[in-house]
Amino acid sequence: VVYVSTEPQLQAAVQALAPNTTIMVAPGTYQLTSTLWINGNLPNVGIRGDTNNRDDVVLVGAGMNNAAYGNIPFGIWTGNGVQGITIANLTIRDVYFHPIIFNPGTQSPIVYNVHLLNAGQQFIKSNPDGVGGGVNNGIVEYSVLEYTTTAKDYYTNGVDVHTGANWTISHNLFRNIVAPPGQLAGPAVLMWNGSSNTLTEGNTFLNCARGISYGLIERGGTDHIGGVIRNNFFFRSASQPGDVGIHVADSANTHVLNNTVFVSGTYGTPIEYRFAGATGTVLANNLLDGVIWARDGATGTELTNLSGAASTMFVDAVSGDLHLTASSIAAIDYGTVLGEVTDDWDGMSRPQGAGYDVGADEYSVSQ
């Protein structure tokens, strides 16, 4: 473990980083003079804040709108043999391109308890290697990715992964992933371009233009393959225009299970599956305020989904609290038993009553 407490010490520690080493950063604000370039054959390395409060350590770029970013295009960059890097317990903000970028040669990255704020493009970007591979086995959890107001333009995502296999994105908050008026921001979670077997669960999406998208364009069933989307809350207020909350596009054998998607009437089909390559789709126990749409040749199985949800079904829909109320009788005990879903958004076991509930929350009188 290497301890640092100034920005020059941080830069020096990154340049001298050796395998099996963690850089521990003392509380404080660090105005970056350069991207933290983590490059080469470096297994089992990390950058961590020295407390469990991610807001105690703040790494600051030159500004998401500042084209004169100099030596700070990114916050943290990895590639060319970085295996098993952990980035944890810190904030990265105001970066012109990506606060975190994983380039080819990176494998098994972990982003844990991180706050990413005001990215010029994607907050976490994972690139392909150009020959059919990419960064695999990534984990993003217990983190917050958000804009103070909006992105600088439409070209943004929270997590954007090309050609990555076996990623887990869980228990994060995505907030205000939106573009300026008249533009549509990209999905907060975008897994595409040959990605596969992604698990996205237990996340909250507040006032995002789009939520989760496995696949994006038509490639004949290979823009994404497999994967599960379960137990996620998605809320968008009536004043925030947007598009689909959950999108399965040209992704075969993808399961969309026990999600709650409430867009306040801003989009009529909050869950969609799309294109002929989207075969074997399973959509079960989802609760939404619009309807599910199988479009452009997509096929699948729909089980015990509940459309047309009202705000009165939730504890505090306006603030994004989509836990069920006792009066939500259309959702409570109405769902299908699913072997892939054994708990809910809170980690509470299912069922709590006579049967599974519809949506991401399993109602309990003690919640």
Side-chain angles (χ1 to χ4, degrees), residues 125-138:
K125 182 65 175 284
S126 178
N127 279 323
D129 64 10
V131 292
V135 179
N136 301 323
N137 305 311

Side-chain angles (χ1 to χ4, degrees), residues 6-361:
T6 68
E7 200 273 345
Q9 288 176 357
L10 174 60
Q11 294 289 350
V14 168
Q15 292 171 21
L17 189 61
N20 306 306
T21 301
T22 293
I23 299 171
M24 197 72 75
V25 187
T29 298
Y30 297 74
Q31 184 70 52
L32 294 176
T33 58
S34 171
T35 293
L36 302 178
W37 303 97
I38 301 175
N39 186 23
N41 183 22
L42 293 169
N44 189 30
V45 295
I47 298 180
R48 302 175 68 99
D50 198 15
T51 75
N52 291 326
N53 185 344
R54 59 185 166 232
D55 295 318
D56 283 349
V57 172
V58 183
L59 310 182
V60 184
M64 75 173 188
N65 293 301
N66 183 8
Y69 52 80
N71 295 323
I72 323 164
F74 315 111
I76 297 174
W77 182 104
T78 76
N80 299 319
V82 177
Q83 305 278 326
I85 184 170
T86 297
I87 302 168
N89 300 345
L90 52 78
T91 293
I92 309 174
R93 61 174 300 157
D94 305 325
V95 175
Y96 189 75
F97 290 113
H98 316 298
I100 298 175
I101 178 169
F102 299 125
N103 267 331
T106 305
Q107 294 294 337
S108 304
I110 298 173
V111 178
Y112 179 87
N113 190 34
V114 165
H115 186 185
L116 303 179
L117 181 65
N118 295 339
Q121 294 184 356
Q122 290 74 30
F123 286 80
I124 299 174
K125 182 65 175 284
S126 178
N127 279 323
D129 64 10
V131 292
V135 179
N136 301 323
N137 305 311
I139 297 174
V140 180
E141 59 184 2
Y142 297 103
S143 295
V144 177
L145 296 80
E146 64 177 331
Y147 285 105
T148 304
T149 54
T150 74
K152 65 184 177 185
D153 58 31
Y154 70 93
Y155 186 58
T156 186
N157 306 94
V159 179
D160 177 9
V161 175
H162 295 256
T163 326
N166 308 318
W167 278 66
T168 297
I169 301 167
S170 64
H171 307 294
N172 304 289
L173 170 61
F174 298 85
R175 183 162 48 203
N176 297 336
I177 311 297
V178 294
Q183 300 181 47
L184 179 64
V189 173
L190 175 58
M191 313 297 295
W192 67 311
N193 193 20
S195 293
S196 60
N197 298 322
T198 308
L199 172 62
T200 304
E201 68 173 346
N203 301 284
T204 299
F205 301 83
L206 291 182
N207 284 326
C208 295
R210 288 185 272 183
I212 303 163
S213 191
Y214 284 10
L216 188 66
I217 62 177
E218 190 168 18
R219 303 178 196 264
T222 61
D223 205 25
H224 185 279
I225 299 171
V228 177
I229 301 169
R230 68 184 175 212
N231 283 339
N232 297 284
F233 281 168
F234 183 100
F235 173 82
R236 188 166 63 231
S237 70
S239 62
Q240 174 58 60
D243 202 274
V244 64
I246 295 176
H247 188 209
V248 176
D250 200 49
S251 180
N253 301 315
T254 297
H255 295 181
V256 181
L257 313 173
N258 279 97
N259 300 282
T260 300
V261 184
F262 193 88
V263 299
S264 304
T266 57
Y267 192 77
T269 52
I271 299 176
E272 296 180 357
Y273 51 120
R274 187 175 188 185
F275 303 129
T279 62
T281 314
V282 177
L283 307 100
N285 295 352
N286 297 290
L287 178 60
L288 61 161
D289 66 336
V291 297
I292 296 174
W293 186 13
R295 57 183 299 191
D296 303 311
T299 56
T301 301
E302 299 181 21
L303 298 170
T304 56
N305 300 290
L306 182 57
S307 301
S311 62
T312 53
M313 298 179 69
F314 307 110
V315 171
D316 188 359
V318 173
S319 67
D321 186 345
L322 300 180
H323 290 89
L324 296 173
T325 65
S327 62
S328 304
I329 56 175
I332 295 172
D333 298 340
Y334 177 78
T336 297
V337 174
L338 301 172
E340 293 173 276
V341 185
T342 59
D343 59 8
D344 74 346
W345 183 90
D346 298 289
M348 182 183 297
S349 63
R350 296 181 188 265
Q352 289 291 310
Y356 274 45
D357 296 345
V358 175
D361 176 47

